[in-house]
Amino acid sequence: MDLYPTTLAIHNVFRWLVLAAIALVILRSFSGWIRKQNWNQKDETALKVSVIFAHIQLLLGLLLYFVLSPITLGAMKDFKAAMKKPDVRFYAAEHIFMMILGIFILQYCKIAAKRKLPNYKKQRFVFICYLLALVVIISKIPWHVRLLPF
């Protein structure tokens, strides 16, 4: 059984859960910042869920990148030549780098938000971090890929 199409389909569908979770945190933190509301358990849960979803998506992506994807496995054989092909370069370097950067920003935000900041400052900090992470992530999502590979 070829796991590549199945894993790729899961990875493609799961992106929507990640984006929705990030969007929820952005909306909650923006609203909390503007209204100067206290950071609450629902905010904390949304933050945790978004980071968990992002990490699951990262694990699926790493499985594709290092084990299953014929594109990246082929690129690893001659990385210099792969960098000259825009489509291959996208998956072999650009996509993975920007996704890891975006997830790093999310994780940093979750850790840094635990600092004892006044609540409206925590809301503002999370909003800015998550908005930045969303821009980084959206910039390198392969939108041209069909939702399901079959």
Side-chain angles (χ1 to χ4, degrees), residues 24-40:
L24 177 64
V25 172
I26 289 171
L27 292 172
R28 290 189 64 80
S29 60
F30 181 74
S31 175
W33 171 34
I34 296 302
R35 295 177 182 177
K36 295 190 177 182
Q37 294 176 328
N38 291 337
W39 185 262
N40 62 41

mmCIF file of all heavy atoms in Angstrom, residues 24-40:
data_model
loop_
_atom_site.group_PDB
_atom_site.id
_atom_site.type_symbol
_atom_site.label_atom_id
_atom_site.label_comp_id
_atom_site.label_asym_id
_atom_site.label_seq_id
_atom_site.Cartn_x
_atom_site.Cartn_y
_atom_site.Cartn_z
ATOM 1 N N LEU A 24 -9.094 31.576 14.815
ATOM 2 C CA LEU A 24 -9.854 31.710 16.064
ATOM 3 C C LEU A 24 -9.039 32.449 17.123
ATOM 4 O O LEU A 24 -9.554 33.343 17.803
ATOM 5 C CB LEU A 24 -10.287 30.337 16.572
ATOM 6 C CG LEU A 24 -11.035 30.337 17.906
ATOM 7 C CD1 LEU A 24 -12.367 31.083 17.776
ATOM 8 C CD2 LEU A 24 -11.256 28.907 18.382
ATOM 9 N N VAL A 25 -7.774 32.084 17.259
ATOM 10 C CA VAL A 25 -6.921 32.761 18.244
ATOM 11 C C VAL A 25 -6.754 34.235 17.868
ATOM 12 O O VAL A 25 -6.810 35.114 18.743
ATOM 13 C CB VAL A 25 -5.542 32.064 18.364
ATOM 14 C CG1 VAL A 25 -4.590 32.881 19.226
ATOM 15 C CG2 VAL A 25 -5.701 30.662 18.932
ATOM 16 N N ILE A 26 -6.577 34.508 16.593
ATOM 17 C CA ILE A 26 -6.440 35.905 16.148
ATOM 18 C C ILE A 26 -7.701 36.699 16.488
ATOM 19 O O ILE A 26 -7.619 37.808 17.028
ATOM 20 C CB ILE A 26 -6.118 35.968 14.638
ATOM 21 C CG1 ILE A 26 -4.687 35.494 14.391
ATOM 22 C CG2 ILE A 26 -6.326 37.386 14.091
ATOM 23 C CD1 ILE A 26 -4.332 35.318 12.931
ATOM 24 N N LEU A 27 -8.855 36.139 16.197
ATOM 25 C CA LEU A 27 -10.109 36.837 16.489
ATOM 26 C C LEU A 27 -10.315 37.047 17.988
ATOM 27 O O LEU A 27 -10.689 38.131 18.425
ATOM 28 C CB LEU A 27 -11.295 36.081 15.890
ATOM 29 C CG LEU A 27 -11.365 36.060 14.369
ATOM 30 C CD1 LEU A 27 -12.479 35.124 13.898
ATOM 31 C CD2 LEU A 27 -11.571 37.462 13.814
ATOM 32 N N ARG A 28 -10.062 36.000 18.769
ATOM 33 C CA ARG A 28 -10.241 36.099 20.218
ATOM 34 C C ARG A 28 -9.266 37.116 20.819
ATOM 35 O O ARG A 28 -9.643 37.930 21.657
ATOM 36 C CB ARG A 28 -10.056 34.745 20.895
ATOM 37 C CG ARG A 28 -11.175 33.744 20.612
ATOM 38 C CD ARG A 28 -11.027 32.510 21.499
ATOM 39 N NE ARG A 28 -11.184 32.864 22.893
ATOM 40 C CZ ARG A 28 -12.351 33.047 23.518
ATOM 41 N NH1 ARG A 28 -13.476 32.895 22.846
ATOM 42 N NH2 ARG A 28 -12.396 33.363 24.798
ATOM 43 N N SER A 29 -8.004 37.062 20.397
ATOM 44 C CA SER A 29 -7.016 37.963 20.994
ATOM 45 C C SER A 29 -7.237 39.409 20.547
ATOM 46 O O SER A 29 -7.054 40.336 21.341
ATOM 47 C CB SER A 29 -5.592 37.498 20.675
ATOM 48 O OG SER A 29 -5.366 37.468 19.284
ATOM 49 N N PHE A 30 -7.648 39.613 19.306
ATOM 50 C CA PHE A 30 -7.942 40.980 18.851
ATOM 51 C C PHE A 30 -9.120 41.556 19.635
ATOM 52 O O PHE A 30 -9.060 42.677 20.128
ATOM 53 C CB PHE A 30 -8.236 40.996 17.349
ATOM 54 C CG PHE A 30 -8.514 42.367 16.820
ATOM 55 C CD1 PHE A 30 -7.476 43.277 16.662
ATOM 56 C CD2 PHE A 30 -9.796 42.768 16.508
ATOM 57 C CE1 PHE A 30 -7.718 44.562 16.187
ATOM 58 C CE2 PHE A 30 -10.054 44.042 16.035
ATOM 59 C CZ PHE A 30 -9.008 44.949 15.873
ATOM 60 N N SER A 31 -10.161 40.754 19.774
ATOM 61 C CA SER A 31 -11.334 41.194 20.527
ATOM 62 C C SER A 31 -10.967 41.479 21.986
ATOM 63 O O SER A 31 -11.374 42.498 22.552
ATOM 64 C CB SER A 31 -12.426 40.126 20.451
ATOM 65 O OG SER A 31 -13.518 40.459 21.261
ATOM 66 N N GLY A 32 -10.191 40.587 22.584
ATOM 67 C CA GLY A 32 -9.775 40.785 23.974
ATOM 68 C C GLY A 32 -8.894 42.002 24.148
ATOM 69 O O GLY A 32 -8.996 42.720 25.149
ATOM 70 N N TRP A 33 -8.040 42.263 23.180
ATOM 71 C CA TRP A 33 -7.153 43.427 23.245
ATOM 72 C C TRP A 33 -7.956 44.718 23.131
ATOM 73 O O TRP A 33 -7.807 45.621 23.945
ATOM 74 C CB TRP A 33 -6.113 43.315 22.143
ATOM 75 C CG TRP A 33 -5.248 44.528 21.936
ATOM 76 C CD1 TRP A 33 -4.803 45.392 22.888
ATOM 77 C CD2 TRP A 33 -4.725 44.984 20.697
ATOM 78 N NE1 TRP A 33 -4.022 46.371 22.307
ATOM 79 C CE2 TRP A 33 -3.955 46.134 20.958
ATOM 80 C CE3 TRP A 33 -4.807 44.538 19.391
ATOM 81 C CZ2 TRP A 33 -3.287 46.835 19.962
ATOM 82 C CZ3 TRP A 33 -4.138 45.229 18.397
ATOM 83 C CH2 TRP A 33 -3.403 46.363 18.684
ATOM 84 N N ILE A 34 -8.840 44.779 22.127
ATOM 85 C CA ILE A 34 -9.632 45.992 21.900
ATOM 86 C C ILE A 34 -10.556 46.272 23.085
ATOM 87 O O ILE A 34 -10.711 47.416 23.513
ATOM 88 C CB ILE A 34 -10.448 45.871 20.584
ATOM 89 C CG1 ILE A 34 -9.503 45.778 19.382
ATOM 90 C CG2 ILE A 34 -11.439 47.007 20.425
ATOM 91 C CD1 ILE A 34 -8.558 46.945 19.221
ATOM 92 N N ARG A 35 -11.148 45.227 23.624
ATOM 93 C CA ARG A 35 -12.084 45.386 24.745
ATOM 94 C C ARG A 35 -11.390 45.380 26.102
ATOM 95 O O ARG A 35 -12.054 45.484 27.138
ATOM 96 C CB ARG A 35 -13.122 44.265 24.701
ATOM 97 C CG ARG A 35 -13.997 44.332 23.474
ATOM 98 C CD ARG A 35 -14.942 43.168 23.442
ATOM 99 N NE ARG A 35 -15.747 43.207 22.228
ATOM 100 C CZ ARG A 35 -16.620 42.295 21.888
ATOM 101 N NH1 ARG A 35 -16.820 41.246 22.687
ATOM 102 N NH2 ARG A 35 -17.290 42.399 20.770
ATOM 103 N N LYS A 36 -10.059 45.199 26.095
ATOM 104 C CA LYS A 36 -9.256 45.120 27.317
ATOM 105 C C LYS A 36 -9.817 44.079 28.283
ATOM 106 O O LYS A 36 -9.933 44.313 29.487
ATOM 107 C CB LYS A 36 -9.111 46.489 27.968
ATOM 108 C CG LYS A 36 -8.323 47.445 27.108
ATOM 109 C CD LYS A 36 -7.962 48.706 27.822
ATOM 110 C CE LYS A 36 -7.121 49.538 26.859
ATOM 111 N NZ LYS A 36 -6.662 50.763 27.448
ATOM 112 N N GLN A 37 -10.134 42.905 27.708
ATOM 113 C CA GLN A 37 -10.676 41.803 28.507
ATOM 114 C C GLN A 37 -9.540 40.975 29.092
ATOM 115 O O GLN A 37 -8.455 40.883 28.513
ATOM 116 C CB GLN A 37 -11.564 40.904 27.640
ATOM 117 C CG GLN A 37 -12.821 41.576 27.155
ATOM 118 C CD GLN A 37 -13.611 40.683 26.218
ATOM 119 O OE1 GLN A 37 -13.054 39.881 25.481
ATOM 120 N NE2 GLN A 37 -14.922 40.844 26.239
ATOM 121 N N ASN A 38 -9.833 40.343 30.200
ATOM 122 C CA ASN A 38 -8.868 39.454 30.813
ATOM 123 C C ASN A 38 -8.655 38.218 29.949
ATOM 124 O O ASN A 38 -9.582 37.714 29.322
ATOM 125 C CB ASN A 38 -9.343 39.023 32.198
ATOM 126 C CG ASN A 38 -9.327 40.151 33.190
ATOM 127 O OD1 ASN A 38 -8.601 41.127 33.036
ATOM 128 N ND2 ASN A 38 -10.134 40.020 34.232
ATOM 129 N N TRP A 39 -7.430 37.737 29.949
ATOM 130 C CA TRP A 39 -7.098 36.464 29.309
ATOM 131 C C TRP A 39 -7.799 35.378 30.108
ATOM 132 O O TRP A 39 -7.702 35.343 31.330
ATOM 133 C CB TRP A 39 -5.581 36.269 29.351
ATOM 134 C CG TRP A 39 -5.087 35.068 28.622
ATOM 135 C CD1 TRP A 39 -4.772 33.861 29.165
ATOM 136 C CD2 TRP A 39 -4.823 34.968 27.225
ATOM 137 N NE1 TRP A 39 -4.335 33.005 28.196
ATOM 138 C CE2 TRP A 39 -4.356 33.665 26.990
ATOM 139 C CE3 TRP A 39 -4.949 35.838 26.157
ATOM 140 C CZ2 TRP A 39 -4.004 33.208 25.720
ATOM 141 C CZ3 TRP A 39 -4.589 35.386 24.894
ATOM 142 C CH2 TRP A 39 -4.130 34.090 24.689
ATOM 143 N N ASN A 40 -8.550 34.504 29.437
ATOM 144 C CA ASN A 40 -9.313 33.508 30.188
ATOM 145 C C ASN A 40 -9.003 32.094 29.714
ATOM 146 O O ASN A 40 -8.171 31.883 28.825
ATOM 147 C CB ASN A 40 -10.811 33.821 30.108
ATOM 148 C CG ASN A 40 -11.340 33.780 28.692
ATOM 149 O OD1 ASN A 40 -10.988 32.904 27.907
ATOM 150 N ND2 ASN A 40 -12.197 34.738 28.354
#
